Structure formats: structure tokens, C-alpha cells
Amino acid sequence: MGREQWKKIWVGSAGNMVEWFDWFVYATFAVYFADAFFPKGNETANLMNTMGIFAVGFFMRPVGGWLLGRIGDRRGRKAALTLTVTLMSASAILIAIAPTYQVAGYGGVAVLLVARLLQGLSVGGEYAASATYLTEASAPAKRGFASSFQYVSMTAGQLVGLGLQITLQRIMSDDALHSWGWRIPFIVGAVGAGIVFYLRRSMLETEVYAESGAAVDENRGTLKVLWAHRREAFLVMALTMGGTVAYYTYTTYLTKFLSSSAGMAKPTASLVSFCALFLFMCLQPLAGMLSDRIGRRPMLITFAVGSTFLTVPIMTMLKHAGTFWPALGLAILALVIVTGYTSINACVKAELFPTGIRALGVALPYALANALFGGTAEYVALWFKKAGVESGFYWYVAGCAAVSLVVYLTMRETRDIDLNRAERVPGTAPAPSRAPA
């Protein structure tokens, strides 16, 4: 892999890290600011309200996926990536300055809601733009390895958030964190987004996009063209379903599950998540390289089988783990299983579409699947908990994985697909002829 390709991966990954830091700190710090925006009383109810707003952000992701996916296909991957980080910076600033319930009543909730809507728009486009960029920027035989850095950077963003949380827990009192300390990570996120904006302004466009002829096709990035590839779009939704539910269960929800359901102290629960996620991050490139050798389908099938049959026992044992080491071992096992999906899902989706519709083709169906399943995972978990049947959530996660397993077993292998192929769909102009890459 050449120097220029590494540079593209580095810049794309650095921005993705900040994007997902801002996205995840909302979830990881929710236990501290949930009571700040609602009347004091039922802690579980306030956390459910706060995570309900978290889920609302997911429902803006399809809008962001459509808007920014269209921009990515019509104006280039660089333009879409620069806009996503701008929106994320604005949302982080809004949350950092949002007034509490005591100051402005439900006015603070309104500010929080607007910020989450902006975050939803941003992340809805960020996933597809970065997935497309990382996949196109890499050598054909190393697409799995290169695209795995999307989840490396996503996890790094979450680790920075968790690391900041652990640090603040050690240097600040619990009262101070609930009072004003929770604002610190959002200030950090806004500053980081400003730095990445500067980096992305000078990033290079991918050769696949620049040389494809997509840039001169007036129909590129339209819903009309996407409809011509509706089978691939539905496939993206179906293969995302199980992966996104499992991912959010063992990442953003894990800390809250260990503290509220397993009875573990919040600092200990945060440390379990941090250690497990660090190993998870390190596994992504290794699994990506493995997929370049054996294919994408075996990795996805391994994830789905493991998640279908092991989710219930893992979650049951996690609830009764009690101490740090047993909880860490179970969390690592769960995330090793999830790696079969996370390490390659970006390139699999990008490999399904031709260049002129790749960003939108990945963005919109993926965002829809996340709105329906990923964004609601924590809310569903808390709903089962409040209803007194928390184990029902374990079966829900396993069931979603089982649905995706059927899809993985029937889908085609995408490893050897040529991203430079000049496909034309009905109603679009043919791409100009060019020498094969």
C-alpha cells in the first residue's frame, strides 16, 4: 500500500474518529446528564427519555444519508466528508451550552433535540462517505484491510470518550460530573472537529471516483438510479440489521448494562468497556486482512452464527459477572464475535454498488437499518428492563442476528468485484470509455 493511500486512510480515519467521539459521548455520559434536562425523580425514566432523544438522532440518519450520499456521488467524497464534520462540530457546541431543566425548563431538551438532529444528519452521511472513501482509496487486494480502519477510528473515538470519562471520574466528584462536568467532552469534541475540518479541506479525492466518469453523469447520486439498484439496497439493510444491534449492545449499552443491571460501580463498568474496546479496535485490521484472503461471506457468517447462539448465554453471564475480570472476559468474547461484521461491513456494502451511486447506495439503506435497529437498541433494552423481563432483550439481539444469517448465507461474495467497472442502469448516461484500471 503506497504512501498516498496511507495518507488518504489516515485523513479519513482521523475525521471519522472525531465524528464518532461526538456521537458516542452522548451515550456514555448520558448517566450523568439525564437528570439535568428532566424533573428529578425516576432515574430509569429520565435515562429512557435521554436515550429516546439519542434514538431520534438515528431517525435523522436516513435524511443525512440521502443528502450527504447525494453530495458524495455528485460532488465527490471529499465534499461530503468536509460537510459532515462541520455539522458535527455545530451539534457538539449546542450540547455543551444547553441549559438545564432548572434554568430553562424543557428549553434545554429542545436544544438537546436540535443537536441530536444535526448529529443524525452528520453521521448519516459520514458512515457512507468514509466507507466509500476508504474502500476506493485502497488497493483492490487490500480493500478489507483498508476499510477496517473505519471501525478502528470509530472505536478509537469511543475509547477517547471512555478514557475521558474514566479520567473525569477520578479527578472530579460525582456531584460535579452531574452538575457541569458532563459538558467537558462536548467541548473537546467541538475543538477536535475544528481540527479535522482543516485536515479534510486538503484531503485528496479518490482515483476511482475521479476517473470513473461518474462526475459527468447528471443522474449520479439520485433516487432514480438507487431504485435501479434496489436489490442491493435492500441487501444492505438486511445484512446491517443483526450487526448494528449487536454492535450497539456491546459498545454503547454495555457500560450502562454493567452498572444498572449487573450492579457494578460506574468506574469499574467504564474500565471494562475501555479494555474490551481497545482489544476490539486492534482486531479490526487483522480481520480485514483475513477477509482479503478468504472472502467476506465467511466472516459475516461466523459473526451471525456466534451472535445467534451465544448472545443469550453471554448477556446472562454478564448480568451475574459481579467483578472486573469475568465481565471483561465475556465482553471480549462478545466483541470478537462482532468483529466478523464490523471489520468488513464497510467494504462489503461499497462493493455492491457502481461508483456513480456508491455513496448514496451505502448511506440511505444503512441509515434506515440503523434508525430501525441500531438507534433503538438501548431504548428496547431499557423497555424490557422496565417491564421486568430484561432477558427478552437478549433474545431480541439473537433474533436480529438470525435474520442477517439467512442473508449472509444467500448473498454473493464481493471480494473480487472491480470497483472501476463501468455499469449503466436504465435511464442514465453511459460513462465515457476509458482504459481499465
Side-chain angles (χ1 to χ4, degrees), residues 135-165:
T135 302
E136 291 182 348
S138 61
K142 297 184 178 179
R143 290 200 299 255
F145 171 72
S147 65
S148 71
F149 281 88
Q150 183 180 48
Y151 270 82
V152 170
S153 57
M154 284 174 63
T155 307
Q158 190 172 2
L159 283 172
V160 173
L162 276 171
L164 181 57
Q165 184 182 55

Short mmCIF file of all heavy atoms in Angstrom, two decimals, residues 135-165:
data_model
loop_
_atom_site.label_atom_id
_atom_site.label_comp_id
_atom_site.label_asym_id
_atom_site.label_seq_id
_atom_site.Cartn_x
_atom_site.Cartn_y
_atom_site.Cartn_z
N THR A 135 -12.71 2.49 1.04
CA THR A 135 -12.73 1.35 0.11
C THR A 135 -12.11 1.73 -1.23
O THR A 135 -11.31 0.98 -1.80
CB THR A 135 -14.17 0.85 -0.09
OG1 THR A 135 -14.73 0.49 1.17
CG2 THR A 135 -14.22 -0.35 -1.03
N GLU A 136 -12.47 2.90 -1.75
CA GLU A 136 -11.96 3.33 -3.05
C GLU A 136 -10.49 3.73 -3.00
O GLU A 136 -9.78 3.64 -4.00
CB GLU A 136 -12.78 4.51 -3.57
CG GLU A 136 -14.20 4.15 -3.96
CD GLU A 136 -14.98 5.33 -4.51
OE1 GLU A 136 -14.50 6.48 -4.38
OE2 GLU A 136 -16.07 5.11 -5.07
N ALA A 137 -10.02 4.19 -1.83
CA ALA A 137 -8.64 4.67 -1.72
C ALA A 137 -7.62 3.55 -1.61
O ALA A 137 -6.41 3.80 -1.67
CB ALA A 137 -8.51 5.60 -0.51
N SER A 138 -8.07 2.32 -1.45
CA SER A 138 -7.15 1.21 -1.20
C SER A 138 -6.90 0.39 -2.46
O SER A 138 -7.66 0.45 -3.43
CB SER A 138 -7.73 0.30 -0.11
OG SER A 138 -8.97 -0.24 -0.54
N ALA A 139 -5.83 -0.40 -2.41
CA ALA A 139 -5.52 -1.33 -3.50
C ALA A 139 -6.59 -2.43 -3.52
O ALA A 139 -7.10 -2.82 -2.47
CB ALA A 139 -4.14 -1.95 -3.29
N PRO A 140 -6.96 -2.94 -4.71
CA PRO A 140 -8.04 -3.94 -4.80
C PRO A 140 -7.87 -5.15 -3.89
O PRO A 140 -8.83 -5.64 -3.32
CB PRO A 140 -8.00 -4.34 -6.28
CG PRO A 140 -7.47 -3.13 -6.98
CD PRO A 140 -6.46 -2.55 -6.04
N ALA A 141 -6.63 -5.61 -3.73
CA ALA A 141 -6.40 -6.80 -2.91
C ALA A 141 -6.35 -6.50 -1.42
O ALA A 141 -6.20 -7.42 -0.62
CB ALA A 141 -5.08 -7.46 -3.34
N LYS A 142 -6.47 -5.22 -1.04
CA LYS A 142 -6.38 -4.85 0.37
C LYS A 142 -7.57 -4.01 0.83
O LYS A 142 -7.47 -3.26 1.79
CB LYS A 142 -5.08 -4.10 0.62
CG LYS A 142 -3.83 -4.94 0.37
CD LYS A 142 -2.56 -4.20 0.72
CE LYS A 142 -1.34 -5.08 0.50
NZ LYS A 142 -0.08 -4.37 0.82
N ARG A 143 -8.68 -4.14 0.13
CA ARG A 143 -9.86 -3.33 0.49
C ARG A 143 -10.40 -3.70 1.86
O ARG A 143 -10.85 -2.84 2.61
CB ARG A 143 -10.96 -3.48 -0.57
CG ARG A 143 -10.63 -2.81 -1.89
CD ARG A 143 -11.88 -2.56 -2.71
NE ARG A 143 -12.59 -3.77 -3.04
CZ ARG A 143 -12.60 -4.35 -4.24
NH1 ARG A 143 -11.88 -3.83 -5.22
NH2 ARG A 143 -13.30 -5.43 -4.48
N GLY A 144 -10.39 -4.98 2.20
CA GLY A 144 -10.87 -5.39 3.52
C GLY A 144 -10.02 -4.79 4.62
O GLY A 144 -10.54 -4.28 5.62
N PHE A 145 -8.70 -4.84 4.44
CA PHE A 145 -7.78 -4.27 5.42
C PHE A 145 -7.98 -2.76 5.55
O PHE A 145 -8.11 -2.23 6.66
CB PHE A 145 -6.34 -4.57 5.01
CG PHE A 145 -5.31 -3.87 5.83
CD1 PHE A 145 -5.05 -4.26 7.14
CD2 PHE A 145 -4.58 -2.80 5.30
CE1 PHE A 145 -4.09 -3.60 7.90
CE2 PHE A 145 -3.62 -2.15 6.06
CZ PHE A 145 -3.38 -2.55 7.36
N ALA A 146 -8.03 -2.05 4.42
CA ALA A 146 -8.14 -0.59 4.46
C ALA A 146 -9.47 -0.14 5.05
O ALA A 146 -9.51 0.77 5.88
CB ALA A 146 -7.98 -0.02 3.05
N SER A 147 -10.56 -0.77 4.63
CA SER A 147 -11.87 -0.34 5.11
C SER A 147 -12.08 -0.69 6.58
O SER A 147 -12.94 -0.09 7.24
CB SER A 147 -12.98 -0.96 4.26
OG SER A 147 -13.01 -2.37 4.41
N SER A 148 -11.30 -1.63 7.11
CA SER A 148 -11.43 -1.97 8.53
C SER A 148 -11.06 -0.80 9.42
O SER A 148 -11.47 -0.75 10.59
CB SER A 148 -10.54 -3.18 8.88
OG SER A 148 -9.17 -2.83 8.85
N PHE A 149 -10.32 0.16 8.88
CA PHE A 149 -9.93 1.32 9.68
C PHE A 149 -11.12 2.23 9.97
O PHE A 149 -11.02 3.12 10.81
CB PHE A 149 -8.81 2.10 8.99
CG PHE A 149 -7.47 1.46 9.18
CD1 PHE A 149 -7.01 0.49 8.29
CD2 PHE A 149 -6.67 1.78 10.25
CE1 PHE A 149 -5.80 -0.13 8.47
CE2 PHE A 149 -5.44 1.17 10.44
CZ PHE A 149 -5.00 0.21 9.55
N GLN A 150 -12.24 1.99 9.30
CA GLN A 150 -13.43 2.75 9.67
C GLN A 150 -13.84 2.42 11.10
O GLN A 150 -14.12 3.31 11.91
CB GLN A 150 -14.59 2.45 8.71
CG GLN A 150 -15.81 3.30 9.06
CD GLN A 150 -16.96 3.03 8.12
OE1 GLN A 150 -17.31 1.88 7.87
NE2 GLN A 150 -17.57 4.08 7.60
N TYR A 151 -13.87 1.12 11.42
CA TYR A 151 -14.23 0.75 12.80
C TYR A 151 -13.06 0.90 13.76
O TYR A 151 -13.28 1.02 14.97
CB TYR A 151 -14.81 -0.67 12.83
CG TYR A 151 -16.30 -0.67 12.63
CD1 TYR A 151 -16.85 -0.60 11.37
CD2 TYR A 151 -17.16 -0.70 13.73
CE1 TYR A 151 -18.23 -0.58 11.18
CE2 TYR A 151 -18.54 -0.69 13.55
CZ TYR A 151 -19.06 -0.62 12.28
OH TYR A 151 -20.43 -0.58 12.10
N VAL A 152 -11.84 0.92 13.25
CA VAL A 152 -10.71 1.28 14.11
C VAL A 152 -10.90 2.71 14.59
O VAL A 152 -10.77 3.01 15.78
CB VAL A 152 -9.37 1.14 13.36
CG1 VAL A 152 -8.22 1.76 14.17
CG2 VAL A 152 -9.06 -0.32 13.06
N SER A 153 -11.21 3.61 13.65
CA SER A 153 -11.38 5.02 14.02
C SER A 153 -12.65 5.25 14.83
O SER A 153 -12.66 6.04 15.77
CB SER A 153 -11.39 5.89 12.76
OG SER A 153 -12.40 5.49 11.86
N MET A 154 -13.71 4.53 14.49
CA MET A 154 -14.95 4.64 15.28
C MET A 154 -14.70 4.21 16.72
O MET A 154 -15.11 4.89 17.67
CB MET A 154 -16.05 3.76 14.66
CG MET A 154 -16.68 4.33 13.41
SD MET A 154 -17.84 3.17 12.65
CE MET A 154 -19.07 3.02 13.93
N THR A 155 -14.01 3.08 16.87
CA THR A 155 -13.74 2.57 18.22
C THR A 155 -12.75 3.46 18.94
O THR A 155 -12.86 3.68 20.16
CB THR A 155 -13.20 1.13 18.14
OG1 THR A 155 -14.10 0.34 17.36
CG2 THR A 155 -13.06 0.53 19.53
N ALA A 156 -11.78 4.01 18.20
CA ALA A 156 -10.83 4.94 18.82
C ALA A 156 -11.57 6.16 19.37
O ALA A 156 -11.25 6.65 20.47
CB ALA A 156 -9.78 5.37 17.81
N GLY A 157 -12.56 6.64 18.62
CA GLY A 157 -13.35 7.76 19.11
C GLY A 157 -14.08 7.42 20.39
O GLY A 157 -14.15 8.23 21.33
N GLN A 158 -14.62 6.22 20.43
CA GLN A 158 -15.32 5.79 21.64
C GLN A 158 -14.35 5.59 22.80
O GLN A 158 -14.66 5.92 23.95
CB GLN A 158 -16.09 4.50 21.38
CG GLN A 158 -17.02 4.11 22.52
CD GLN A 158 -17.91 2.94 22.16
OE1 GLN A 158 -17.80 2.39 21.08
NE2 GLN A 158 -18.78 2.57 23.07
N LEU A 159 -13.15 5.06 22.50
CA LEU A 159 -12.15 4.87 23.55
C LEU A 159 -11.69 6.20 24.13
O LEU A 159 -11.49 6.32 25.35
CB LEU A 159 -10.94 4.11 23.00
CG LEU A 159 -11.12 2.60 22.81
CD1 LEU A 159 -9.92 2.01 22.07
CD2 LEU A 159 -11.30 1.91 24.15
N VAL A 160 -11.53 7.18 23.27
CA VAL A 160 -11.16 8.51 23.77
C VAL A 160 -12.26 9.05 24.68
O VAL A 160 -11.99 9.62 25.74
CB VAL A 160 -10.90 9.48 22.60
CG1 VAL A 160 -10.69 10.90 23.12
CG2 VAL A 160 -9.67 9.05 21.80
N GLY A 161 -13.52 8.82 24.27
CA GLY A 161 -14.63 9.25 25.12
C GLY A 161 -14.66 8.52 26.45
O GLY A 161 -14.85 9.14 27.51
N LEU A 162 -14.47 7.20 26.41
CA LEU A 162 -14.44 6.42 27.64
C LEU A 162 -13.24 6.78 28.51
O LEU A 162 -13.33 6.87 29.73
CB LEU A 162 -14.41 4.93 27.33
CG LEU A 162 -15.76 4.25 27.05
CD1 LEU A 162 -15.53 2.84 26.53
CD2 LEU A 162 -16.63 4.23 28.27
N GLY A 163 -12.08 6.99 27.84
CA GLY A 163 -10.89 7.38 28.59
C GLY A 163 -11.09 8.72 29.28
O GLY A 163 -10.68 8.91 30.44
N LEU A 164 -11.73 9.65 28.58
CA LEU A 164 -12.02 10.95 29.18
C LEU A 164 -12.99 10.78 30.35
O LEU A 164 -12.85 11.43 31.39
CB LEU A 164 -12.61 11.88 28.12
CG LEU A 164 -12.96 13.30 28.57
CD1 LEU A 164 -11.74 14.01 29.14
CD2 LEU A 164 -13.54 14.09 27.40
N GLN A 165 -13.97 9.89 30.18
CA GLN A 165 -14.92 9.64 31.26
C GLN A 165 -14.23 9.06 32.49
O GLN A 165 -14.47 9.51 33.62
CB GLN A 165 -16.03 8.69 30.79
CG GLN A 165 -17.12 8.47 31.83
CD GLN A 165 -18.17 7.49 31.34
OE1 GLN A 165 -17.86 6.37 30.95
NE2 GLN A 165 -19.41 7.91 31.35
#
